Amino acid sequence: MRVHHLNCGTMRLPGARLVCHVLAVETGGGLLLVDTGFGTADIAEPARRTGAMRRVVRPAFDPRETALHQIRELGFRAEDVTHIVATHFDLDHIGGLADFPEAQVHVTAAEARGALSPATLLERGRYRRTQLSHRPRLVRHEPTGERWRGFAAARQLTSVDDGVVLVSMPGHTRGHAAVAVDAGGYWVLHCGDTFYHPGTLDGTPVPWSLRVQERLVAHDIRELRSSQARVAALRAAGTEELMVVCSHDPALFEAARARAATGGR
Ligand SMILES: [Zn+2]
């Protein structure tokens, strides 16, 4: 499948510029988005939609960065987006859902529970009802049983495409997942917020602001560390046919874009 890499939200923390890495995947059954970044509603009403979070990560709120704008630039219409797979329901990942109200929104059942019935102080703070007030067409998945490259729980999303796998990767949120996409000749593993910076996986320096943020918003830090260790092992194995990316690192985003532009070589 042809995969486009879009930055749907530039953010800033001290010493770090962040992107919102979104995949737009051309499947046989329409366009699939993996996460959405910020959407037009966030830009129209930043205070109501994003709350105090916008003061911490200072999103650019640039209309040209929305997934809606960028897929139109690629020649698609909003209605062409038939499926969206969300790594999790933090607002910087689902702000654009309301721009594609007809799309089916795939998520783990655990993540939907966390967002719709928040059980902890952290969950009550991070999930904002306004992001889901348009009542998206949620499709809940229980990724259990199937194994995927060392991960115990995964689910092939056959209703989307055979080349799309939801991989349970909890820790950042209770139902956080990664999404693996067959890009034709290689796979892209989008790890969402399992890590913010490649240094978390390979031991190179990570800006302090990212280390602090990671701890502050972790639903379960031990689960997160265990997920990170598994991704690190996968990445260290260094196979050409697997490209590991995350939501917010600009260098991994640019590398993914460059590889897609050369047809995956
Ligand atoms: Zn995030």
Side-chain angles (χ1 to χ4, degrees):
M1 293 180 289
R2 182 154 185 217
V3 179
H4 305 271
H5 298 267
L6 316 177
N7 169 19
C8 297
T10 302
M11 304 186 287
R12 281 178 199 286
L13 281 171
R17 182 177 71 87
L18 307 176
V19 297
C20 290
H21 190 159
V22 167
L23 309 181
V25 186
E26 297 182 29
T27 77
L31 202 58
L32 155 73
L33 299 181
V34 175
D35 285 348
T36 67
F38 293 97
T40 57
D42 300 319
I43 293 165
E45 292 186 283
R48 193 172 76 83
R49 295 268 306 183
T50 67
M53 182 263 200
R54 72 194 194 284
R55 309 241 185 257
V56 180
V57 294
R58 295 182 287 155
F61 293 127
D62 181 344
R64 291 165 304 178
E65 286 187 339
T66 60
L68 181 61
H69 176 84
Q70 294 189 67
I71 64 143
R72 283 177 176 160
E73 294 274 287
L74 290 169
F76 297 97
R77 302 160 304 155
E79 310 84 83
D80 294 331
V81 176
T82 46
H83 296 279
I84 297 171
V85 185
T87 59
H88 63 299
F89 272 2
D90 276 348
L91 62 91
D92 54 319
H93 298 258
I94 60 163
L97 288 187
D99 289 326
F100 309 100
E102 296 306 317
Q104 291 189 17
V105 178
H106 302 263
V107 67
T108 69
E111 187 66 12
R113 266 197 306 278
L116 298 172
S117 316
T120 66
L121 199 61
L122 180 62
E123 285 185 338
R124 283 193 283 276
R126 79 190 315 160
Y127 297 121
R128 294 184 68 80
R129 281 297 168 106
T130 48
Q131 296 283 346
L132 300 172
S133 60
H134 67 288
R135 293 179 175 270
R137 301 168 59 193
L138 296 187
V139 185
R140 295 165 175 82
H141 297 275
E142 299 271 7
T144 51
E146 293 172 41
R147 293 189 65 82
W148 195 85
R149 300 184 190 222
F151 289 90
R155 169 126 317 169
Q156 195 178 13
L157 300 185
T158 45
S159 68
V160 180
D161 192 284
D162 284 350
V164 181
V165 183
L166 189 66
V167 184
S168 176
M169 207 174 276
H172 176 69
T173 60
R174 73 159 103 168
H176 185 285
V179 185
V181 173
D182 183 350
Y186 66 109
W187 283 72
V188 178
L189 180 64
H190 190 303
C191 294
D193 284 0
T194 298
F195 65 97
Y196 288 146
H197 186 282
T200 303
L201 305 182
D202 60 23
T204 55
V206 178
W208 66 266
S209 59
L210 297 181
R211 283 184 279 126
V212 170
Q213 178 75 7
E214 176 176 272
R215 276 200 157 264
L216 279 179
V217 299
H219 173 73
D220 184 326
I221 190 73
R222 280 206 301 222
E223 268 190 338
L224 180 67
R225 295 291 181 238
S226 147
S227 293
Q228 288 171 344
R230 249 169 275 169
V231 177
L234 204 57
R235 191 163 180 255
T239 56
E240 269 295 294
E241 52 80 53
L242 180 71
M243 187 172 61
V244 174
V245 302
C246 66
S247 290
H248 299 307
D249 184 69
L252 292 182
F253 170 71
E254 290 301 342
R257 242 178 122 92
R259 185 168 180 178
T262 61
R265 283 186 299 279

